[in-house]
Amino acid sequence: MSKTSNQMWGGRFADQPDAIMEAINASIGFDKRLAAQDIAGSRAHAAMLAATGIISDSDAEAIREGLLTVLSEIEGGSFEFSTALEDIHMNVEARLKAVIGEPAGRLHTGRSRNDQVATDFRLWVRDQIDEAEGSLTRLIHALLAQAEAGAEWVMPGFTHLQTAQPVTWGHHMMAYVEMFGRDLSRVRDARKRMNESPLGAAALAGTGFPIDRHMTAQALGFDAPMANSLDAVSARDFALEFLSVASISAMHLSRFAEELVIWSSAQFRFVTLSDRFSTGSSIMPQKKNPDAAELIRAKIGRIFGANVALMMVMKGLPLAYSKDMQEDKEQVFDAADNWLLALAAMEGMVRDMTANVANLEKAASAGFSTATDLADWLVRETGLPFREAHHVTGALVALAEKTGRDLPDLTLDEMQAVHGNITASVYDVLGVHNSVASRRSYGGTAPDRVREQIARWKEAL
Ligand code: ARG
């Protein structure tokens, strides 16, 4: 082997790569994040090679100990990563050789970097899924606590961001519990589907060595080895599924973040965010800004961007491995980091925020929010068809609006002038508390219904 050429494939090469080649080719700058997974995969592989008699027990033991040394060097920060060694796989193997000598050269028997990286990356994504499961669960608990505290507080429900009907605070919080609950079930689904081992697919076609892929799969916590070696080294849909689950969840986070930005404004004052999750202004002393919410709202951009970017990387690739696929990792790393951070920040904001109950109630009564209750009353009590009741109510709203009042401020005489059959009992349905209490249909906003859903979720978690 020439001294100047590559120590892994120097047999065929006489020259060193150009510096630009090294710069575009090396992935060690980012795939060092896969070190723990890479070493776990190698340990499983070496143990299997010994168990199947492909390498000796003493070589396997030397490899095992050597890998533990390398791992502690990496964890302790003393490991020197080399760009010339391209990626985490070759960095670890080269260091193993320096630590244990000759047996290190037997580790790569019946294996390729193609199945190695596919295995490492799956293990890494699986860890993120487990993290996300914990983060989503904690966020749901924070929302449940808010819902429980405010199962009866009334606030305006909006459509088109225009006052629609009164709802309860608890009901609004529980809407997000449902969304993040589906995100939770999506990460669990994704985990199940991705939890198969590519290890032992080798370069693309499998290997002639009598390896035991079931053994390595089990050692790494996979449910089974992947059934097709070409697919095993080429598939990145597990990463894409992770990114799409993260994107949907980031979209949910973003919608809630948007509401918190609006709710915490001086015009709304629905909530007060804690100092711990707010920032001030360097020039305007009165300011308290919802920066965490704004940043959470913005995270969807990079997370969904990662999803699109990896989709584009993969869409034109013939089977099996192409170096294009090295571009899969940074996207997923960045998306995972930011999704988990956004989930944690949202959990903190939700735990800390205070609802301004009196203000919510005042806002709930404004904007003729009980007009539908009035129309429903006309249907129930006077037998009017709903369409006509809608029309009569519209006339009453117009009258109130013209005279600068709310619906409950209209006198019975004024109401009867619009429709003769209206009686004083109509005033009962014009109050916001009666309005929400009456919406007892399954999934409705009535406090009883909301409490049922809180209990169901607590049980489920
Ligand atoms: N660093 C490479 C990657 O991340 C590892 C696989 C290299 N395989 C190869 N045939 N060059 O994809």
Side-chain angles (χ1 to χ4, degrees):
M1 179 174 119
S2 139
K3 250 206 141 55
T4 52
S5 69
N6 184 292
Q7 65 167 285
M8 299 291 169
W9 53 75
R12 192 193 185 292
F13 283 68
D15 263 346
Q16 285 274 49
D18 191 272
I20 304 276
M21 178 59 199
E22 202 171 280
I24 193 172
N25 197 37
S27 54
I28 188 63
F30 48 88
D31 69 12
K32 56 169 94 136
R33 283 189 76 168
L34 301 177
Q37 290 76 12
D38 193 70
I39 286 170
S42 287
R43 284 181 57 190
H45 186 66
M48 179 277 292
L49 290 176
T52 51
I54 299 169
I55 65 172
S56 70
D57 285 343
S58 61
D59 282 347
E61 184 49 28
I63 291 170
R64 194 186 75 87
E65 299 225 328
L67 286 171
L68 289 175
T69 304
V70 175
L71 181 61
S72 68
E73 289 175 1
I74 293 173
E75 284 173 353
S78 64
F79 190 98
E80 274 179 45
F81 293 101
S82 150
T83 311
L85 288 167
E86 257 189 69
D87 56 25
I88 186 62
H89 325 295
M90 297 207 292
N91 268 269
V92 169
E93 194 183 318
R95 181 65 192 144
L96 183 66
K97 176 107 191 285
V99 175
I100 66 168
E102 196 254 35
R106 300 187 190 279
L107 171 60
H108 213 51
T109 314
R111 180 179 85 167
S112 153
R113 277 189 297 157
N114 297 347
D115 58 335
Q116 200 179 347
V117 72
T119 304
D120 295 2
F121 200 27
R122 261 177 208 259
L123 291 171
W124 193 88
V125 171
R126 196 178 70 186
D127 286 348
Q128 303 307 302
I129 284 181
D130 293 342
E131 288 281 321
E133 201 177 324
S135 305
L136 282 162
T137 307
R138 286 189 293 277
L139 173 55
I140 290 171
H141 277 297
L143 287 161
L144 285 171
Q146 283 286 353
E148 214 165 18
E152 298 193 356
W153 302 340
V154 277
M155 63 180 284
F158 298 96
T159 62
H160 315 265
L161 198 55
Q162 307 287 323
T163 303
Q165 294 172 349
V167 294
T168 51
W169 170 264
H171 198 50
H172 201 111
M173 295 300 122
M174 291 305 288
Y176 283 101
V177 167
E178 293 291 329
M179 288 176 246
F180 294 121
R182 285 193 296 275
D183 293 344
L184 189 58
S185 94
R186 265 186 281 271
V187 293
R188 288 174 178 156
D189 281 354
R191 192 189 201 282
K192 258 182 250 156
R193 208 161 7 256
M194 73 164 296
N195 200 29
E196 292 189 348
S197 173
L199 193 58
L204 73 165
T207 174
F209 290 102
I211 59 169
D212 182 349
R213 293 190 59 211
H214 293 274
M215 180 179 167
T216 48
Q218 199 187 10
L220 294 169
F222 288 116
D223 297 328
M226 290 179 78
N228 182 297
S229 63
L230 285 169
D231 176 47
V233 294
S234 315
R236 291 296 182 271
D237 53 309
F238 69 93
L240 284 163
E241 193 169 355
F242 172 74
L243 291 174
S244 64
V245 170
S247 297
I248 292 172
S249 174
M251 174 275 291
H252 289 151
L253 285 168
S254 180
R255 295 185 73 174
F256 195 24
E258 166 70 5
E259 296 200 310
L260 293 180
V261 170
I262 295 173
W263 291 358
S264 61
S265 69
Q267 287 67 26
F268 271 74
R269 286 192 297 118
F270 283 7
V271 294
T272 306
L273 300 175
S274 74
D275 288 358
R276 294 175 355 124
F277 285 93
S278 307
T279 56
S281 159
S282 56
I283 170 168
M284 296 167 282
Q286 87 284 9
K287 291 276 278 185
K288 184 166 157 191
N289 293 327
D291 290 34
E294 295 167 277
L295 289 163
I296 291 169
R297 187 174 59 185
K299 292 292 185 196
I300 176 78
R302 63 204 297 165
I303 296 170
F304 190 59
N307 193 6
V308 173
L310 184 53
M311 203 66 107
M312 291 300 111
V313 167
M314 295 306 296
K315 80 171 188 69
L317 300 185
L319 303 188
Y321 178 85
S322 296
K323 198 59 171 268
D324 309 51
M325 288 159 73
Q326 180 165 285
E327 291 283 314
D328 58 0
K329 287 175 252 333
E330 284 166 292
Q331 302 292 344
V332 176
F333 291 164
D334 184 76
D337 290 345
N338 283 285
W339 181 33
L340 293 175
L341 182 58
L343 284 168
M346 185 57 95
E347 183 209 333
M349 276 200 303
V350 171
R351 274 197 194 292
D352 278 18
M353 73 183 176
T354 324
N356 303 329
V357 182
N359 220 22
L360 285 171
E361 181 163 339
K362 210 171 115 208
S365 333
F368 315 109
S369 66
T370 52
T372 315
D373 299 86
L374 172 49
D376 288 350
W377 183 91
L378 286 165
V379 170
R380 253 189 345 260
E381 305 297 323
T382 73
L384 276 188
F386 182 76
R387 274 288 151 246
E388 249 174 84
H390 186 287
H391 199 81
V392 170
T393 308
L396 289 167
V397 166
L399 174 64
E401 192 170 37
K402 210 169 64 199
T403 54
R405 288 175 296 169
D406 275 325
L407 286 173
D409 305 329
L410 296 178
T411 65
L412 189 56
D413 283 349
E414 284 173 311
M415 294 213 209
Q416 284 171 344
V418 175
H419 195 274
N421 290 352
I422 296 180
T423 65
S425 78
V426 74
Y427 288 101
D428 290 345
V429 302
L430 296 181
V432 289
H433 285 281
N434 286 341
S435 167
V436 294
S438 75
R439 297 220 150 74
R440 296 184 41 80
S441 52
Y442 182 82
T445 196
D448 293 351
R449 287 301 194 202
V450 171
R451 284 200 190 92
E452 277 166 24
Q453 294 302 326
I454 296 171
R456 181 175 68 82
W457 270 100
K458 281 184 149 177
E459 168 100 30
L461 286 174

